């Protein structure tokens, strides 16, 4: 983590993720109010991350306090995935593609 407070800046490999807990209208979104979910079990979007080793991420991030809903589960042989919540309650899907999925993608390009 590079900057822990609002907004929070996290560097993952060669990607920056910026988490913002919300706020009022701004010139580029004049009528939009950003707020955290009122019901954590009803969502309309979530962030998806794909990692090279989901079990290593699950352990490392869990050791640092990440709150996962379940451990990584096999999704019909296509991928391993699990979900965690960010500090505001938003869902983040963490997944790892299997060889089956990677071969399928590689044969399409």
């Amino acid at each position: 983590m590079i900057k822990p407070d609002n907004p929070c800046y996290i560097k993952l490999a060669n990607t920056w993720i910026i988490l913002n807990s919300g706020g009022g209208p701004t010139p580029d979104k004049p009528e939009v109010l950003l707020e955290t979910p009122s019901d954590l079990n009803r969502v309309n979007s979530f962030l998806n991350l794909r990692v090279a080793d989901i079990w290593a991420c699950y352990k490392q991030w869990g050791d640092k306090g990440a709150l996962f809903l379940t451990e990584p589960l096999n999704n019909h042989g296509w991928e391993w995935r699990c979900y965690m919540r960010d500090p505001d309650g938003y869902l983040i899907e963490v997944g790892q593609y299997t060889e089956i999925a990677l071969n399928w993608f590689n044969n399409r390009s």
Side-chain angles (χ1 to χ4, degrees):
M1 182 174 318
I2 302 301
K3 181 178 178 286
D5 294 324
N6 192 19
C8 173
Y9 289 81
I10 301 170
K11 186 172 189 229
L12 294 173
N14 62 348
T15 301
W16 290 89
I17 296 176
I18 302 168
L19 303 174
N20 193 322
S21 63
T26 59
D28 55 342
K29 53 177 183 46
E31 297 180 21
V32 176
L33 176 65
L34 299 175
E35 58 188 11
T36 58
S38 59
D39 181 344
L40 297 180
N41 292 319
R42 297 181 62 89
V43 298
N44 61 13
S45 65
F46 53 85
L47 176 67
N48 287 277
L49 302 174
R50 288 297 175 265
V51 297
D53 186 340
I54 194 168
W55 289 98
C57 287
Y58 176 76
K59 178 171 180 2
Q60 181 183 39
W61 297 352
D63 289 348
K64 292 182 178 182
L67 301 176
F68 287 92
L69 303 183
T70 67
E71 66 181 22
L73 300 174
N74 187 307
N75 185 26
H76 307 289
W78 184 256
E79 66 184 348
W80 286 87
R81 71 179 185 206
C82 56
Y83 292 85
M84 62 184 215
R85 291 199 188 275
D86 78 2
D88 293 317
Y90 291 103
L91 282 180
I92 299 173
E93 177 184 304
V94 182
Q96 176 186 340
Y97 289 122
T98 63
E99 286 299 315
I100 293 169
L102 293 173
N103 289 336
W104 187 86
F105 286 129
N106 289 332
N107 289 330
R108 301 289 182 278
S109 52

